[in-house]
Amino acid sequence: MKKIDKKVADAYFCARTWLVVICLFIGGLVSFGVVAFAERFAEFTIMGMPAHYYMGAQGAVVTFVILLFGNAIISDQIDKKFGIDEEHNTRVSSGKVLDH
């Protein structure tokens, strides 16, 4: 692997940290937002169920799955932006793993 300049490494870790913070914020908002506004959501129904129950049982799970896929896609884009390419590393090392 090639050496990375400290400024580039700091920018990379800053971008990755912001991605994690944003995902955690969205996850927390979805988890606790439904609970905080459950009484207001109870007035509506989705497929015959109260909206707060449906959003807690289905919406939160779907949101977390979307966050997982979004995190993976955006992480790959950040890696490519900063020159961290797994395919290139595999080609250079011929698939060998170095034991440090």
Side-chain angles (χ1 to χ4, degrees):
M1 288 179 72
K2 64 181 180 178
K3 281 214 166 234
I4 299 175
D5 185 36
K6 181 165 175 28
K7 289 181 183 179
V8 174
D10 289 344
Y12 171 77
F13 285 113
C14 183
R16 293 297 301 260
T17 302
W18 272 109
L19 177 62
V20 169
V21 168
I22 290 169
C23 287
L24 286 173
F25 178 76
I26 292 170
L29 188 66
V30 169
S31 295
F32 299 111
V34 173
V35 175
F37 297 105
E39 290 181 8
R40 293 184 185 159
F41 290 141
E43 299 172 4
F44 307 105
T45 59
I46 300 174
M47 294 195 288
M49 292 182 278
H52 69 282
Y53 175 78
Y54 184 81
M55 290 171 65
Q58 299 295 327
V61 175
V62 170
T63 301
F64 293 133
V65 170
I66 291 171
L67 279 174
L68 287 171
F69 281 105
N71 183 26
I73 292 168
I74 295 171
S75 292
D76 287 343
Q77 291 174 350
I78 291 172
D79 288 350
K80 287 180 184 175
K81 177 182 175 184
F82 288 97
I84 300 170
D85 187 10
E86 188 65 32
E87 293 174 9
H88 174 70
N89 290 341
T90 304
R91 280 193 310 263
V92 168
S93 66
S94 300
K96 299 174 190 166
V97 178
L98 297 176
D99 193 19
H100 295 276

